[in-house]
Amino acid sequence: MRLLMKFGGTSVADENCIRRVVDILEESRRAGNELAAVVSAMGGVTDHLHAIAADVIAGGESPPIEAFIQALRNRHLKTLAAVAPDSFDEMTEIIDTEIAHLRTILTAVFNLKELTRRSNDYIISFGERLSMHILSAALRQRGIPSVALDGCDAGIITSPMHGNAMVLPESDTHIKTRILPLLADSVPVIAGYRGCTRDGVITTFGRSGSDYSAAVIGAAIDADEIWIWTDVDGVMTADPKIVENARVIPTVSYYEAMELSYFGAKVLHPRSIEPAMRRGIPVRVRNTFHPAHPGTCITKYEHADERVVKSIAYIEHVALININGAQMIGKPGVAKIIFSALAERMVNIRMISQGSSEANITLIVDDAHLTDAMEALSGCVKECIVREVTSDRDVVAMAVVGSGMIGTPGTGGRIFAALGKAGINVMMISQGSSEVNISFVVRDEDGPRAIAVLHDEFRLSEDPDE
Ligand code: ADP
Ligand code: ASP
Ligand code: MG
């Protein structure tokens, strides 16, 4: 089989984790598989890169650039010494050259007092640029030929939308040309999370974006399966960090996985299913720390589970916007003006609901886009297109997902009755016509309890086959 294996940040967090990853790749190769690997930054590194970028631009007298660089260098070199002692000197030179570029950019941002989206992408994607060298060197240490490539070297060409770039279709041919010849006798290790524009400028895909890199590369090389190795046994009935008795779901359809990831199930990046789905490639989610577990298999098939609901997802850091005004009643084109104004400011709208009176439209946007959204909408108020616009940051959006809901009456009733009984107020509801998901918004302090109530209501901690 040809497999694309992606290893997340916790899977490469230190030398012991990296040894496990090498074990997994070695064993699979020995079983006769052809392999390519995509790697995330070592656990926590991307967060630290975000933090130093923010610190450097914050305007303090002397941001801790040097201390940051030394800590980053030490962590990577310590890991390298443990997993690839034979190539330590040669690889130290490579890591030092990379790190010197990062130092230069951080210093330039500080001196210019300007952090563009472009330079931010360069900085935050640096972790993958380092981890790829370490995993590749660790494979060579075990006698497995390997080269490290970053997203750009691997042929990933993207739109120039920094922080949320889309991979362009032409990448397919580039990836094939660059990666396929390597598979016969080596395991290429590709940096996740990053690609570059046609002009060679580095871009990133948003948090957890290495899953997207994996799907794009897996699809381009025509992998038989894409395996996402992480720190949980698979896609679960809820985030196990919130619901203690969450259970692994053995099979999930592409549509269910897309809905879950879109609604915050961090285990997969929201765009990571589509490239696999287009080619019908199964995606498996497996646990690096428990490789004996079969994990979750995501395919086109809807598993005939007698349960209508499979999983509950939860997005924090969103805001609710209420747009009111009798002017909207029966007037064509108002929605177009509102959505065009938001699109001009690049505001990503996550949920929409409109009351049948048409005097109210409610939207959910990412918290980070709220200021831009309110500015855009204040223009609509000034032009008397709507009467007033209000916002609320203290909310969370949730989605109850399961393809069994299609055509099954009563699921909405059960959800809202259970929440009502628990005294949880629902502020907004939305259901697409695909019926794979019912989503709604509650106060953020009610979020964890709402998940627990629904997890119990649909008995998700029980094995459906028993
Ligand atoms: P990685 O570093 O491997 O990419 P992430 O932290 O991005 O890992 O994603 C794995 C985490 O996703 C898990 O530790 C878990 O807390 C979280 N998660 C959220 N929702 C789910 C879910 N429905 N199933 C499994 N994990 C989930
Ligand atoms: N390192 C990036 C992040 O932490 C991308 C990824 O891990 O998938 O979001
Ligand atoms: Mg992730």
Side-chain angles (χ1 to χ4, degrees):
M1 280 218 288
R2 178 176 296 162
L3 300 176
L4 183 293
M5 295 198 181
K6 175 257 168 178
F7 297 91
T10 32
S11 302
V12 292
D14 62 24
E15 53 264 39
N16 291 328
C17 299
I18 290 179
R19 285 197 193 100
R20 283 173 187 276
V21 168
V22 176
D23 290 344
I24 288 170
L25 289 166
E26 188 178 36
E27 194 174 311
S28 181
R29 196 170 135 87
R30 207 176 293 133
N33 295 317
E34 254 182 6
L35 303 173
V38 166
V39 70
S40 287
M42 293 177 76
V45 167
T46 310
D47 291 335
H48 295 152
L49 289 162
H50 272 276
I52 189 73
D55 254 16
V56 165
I57 195 67
E61 284 284 286
S62 57
I65 296 178
E66 209 41 50
F68 172 80
I69 292 284
Q70 284 317 319
L72 188 73
R73 179 177 188 269
N74 291 345
R75 177 166 176 197
H76 285 85
L77 290 188
K78 175 176 171 284
T79 310
L80 185 64
V83 299
D86 294 353
S87 57
F88 182 73
D89 291 342
E90 175 201 338
M91 292 311 298
T92 300
E93 241 176 76
I94 292 175
I95 299 275
D96 277 340
T97 310
E98 301 282 11
I99 282 185
H101 293 309
L102 179 62
R103 182 192 282 112
T104 308
I105 294 283
L106 288 173
T107 310
V109 167
F110 176 65
N111 288 333
L112 294 170
K113 310 262 174 281
E114 183 185 50
L115 180 65
T116 59
R117 292 172 78 94
R118 210 185 243 237
S119 27
N120 194 55
D121 264 3
Y122 185 96
I123 297 168
I124 62 174
S125 66
F126 220 84
E128 277 73 6
R129 177 93 197 166
L130 298 176
S131 61
M132 70 178 193
H133 288 301
I134 306 221
L135 179 57
S136 187
L139 285 167
R140 292 193 296 273
Q141 179 76 37
R142 281 277 180 98
I144 301 171
S146 174
V147 281
L149 299 102
D150 89 357
C152 210
D153 307 328
I156 300 185
I157 312 293
T158 76
S159 65
M161 170 85 111
H162 288 282
N164 191 21
M166 300 285 287
V167 175
L168 300 179
E170 68 215 51
S171 306
D172 228 55
T173 318
H174 294 298
I175 297 169
K176 270 193 185 57
T177 316
R178 294 178 195 190
I179 306 297
L180 284 179
L182 302 173
L183 298 182
D185 53 9
S186 72
V187 177
V189 174
I190 303 147
Y193 190 40
R194 48 189 277 152
C196 62
T197 63
R198 289 183 181 136
D199 302 328
V201 178
I202 289 165
T203 49
T204 64
F205 304 135
R207 296 310 303 262
S208 279
S210 303
D211 301 332
Y212 181 42
S213 315
V216 164
I217 296 169
I221 64 171
D222 219 359
D224 292 300
E225 294 193 359
I226 295 166
W227 291 11
I228 306 284
W229 290 92
T230 183
D231 60 352
V232 285
D233 283 339
V235 176
M236 305 183 72
T237 50
D239 184 344
K241 293 193 179 101
I242 300 176
V243 176
E244 234 176 57
N245 56 1
R247 198 177 45 80
V248 178
I249 315 170
T251 55
V252 168
S253 73
Y254 289 130
Y255 288 110
E256 289 170 329
M258 272 198 270
E259 294 289 354
L260 284 172
S261 58
Y262 180 77
F263 275 93
K266 194 181 158 216
V267 65
L268 287 169
H269 182 277
R271 285 206 298 276
S272 60
I273 296 301
E274 208 265 340
M277 185 169 87
R278 242 185 303 127
R279 303 257 165 108
I281 302 173
V283 177
R284 275 181 207 279
V285 178
R286 304 195 54 183
N287 191 343
T288 305
F289 305 93
H290 188 193
H293 194 289
T296 295
C297 186
I298 305 170
T299 63
K300 64 179 180 211
Y301 301 106
E302 312 286 357
H303 181 57
D305 188 323
E306 65 189 36
R307 207 165 265 173
V308 288
V309 166
K310 277 199 180 160
S311 186
I312 303 164
Y314 178 95
I315 332 181
E316 294 172 291
H317 311 301
V318 290
L320 181 142
I321 299 179
N322 244 316
I323 306 169
N324 298 308
Q327 298 92 315
M328 291 192 271
I329 298 178
K331 191 166 169 202
V334 173
K336 174 173 176 258
I337 297 171
I338 292 173
F339 292 116
S340 303
L342 293 167
E344 265 167 38
R345 301 280 188 125
M346 310 295 278
V347 173
N348 177 27
I349 301 168
R350 286 186 173 265
M351 286 169 68
I352 304 172
S353 129
Q354 179 173 25
S356 59
S357 73
E358 296 183 48
N360 167 281
I361 295 178
T362 309
L363 306 174
I364 293 293
V365 300
D366 288 339
D367 201 12
H369 292 173
L370 181 60
T371 310
D372 282 343
M374 292 305 278
E375 274 172 25
L377 294 171
S378 69
C380 299
V381 176
K382 270 192 215 124
E383 289 168 29
C384 296
I385 294 158
V386 301
R387 189 185 68 250
E388 64 161 7
V389 180
T390 58
S391 67
D392 188 338
R393 276 200 146 102
D394 302 325
V395 298
V396 289
M398 298 179 52
V400 172
V401 173
S403 41
M405 288 195 276
I406 300 174
T408 307
T411 315
R414 267 176 85 181
I415 294 173
F416 298 114
L419 293 173
K421 205 164 143 208
I424 296 170
N425 180 35
V426 176
M427 302 167 75
M428 170 186 179
I429 301 175
S430 152
Q431 179 181 20
S433 59
S434 79
E435 292 185 57
V436 171
N437 141 17
I438 295 177
S439 41
F440 53 92
V441 174
V442 298
R443 288 248 155 262
D444 55 4
E445 72 254 22
D446 289 332
R449 205 159 53 86
I451 294 205
V453 164
L454 295 175
H455 203 263
D456 284 351
E457 170 65 28
F458 291 98
R459 298 171 39 199
L460 296 184
S461 53
E462 295 170 23
D463 184 343
D465 297 324
E466 270 174 13

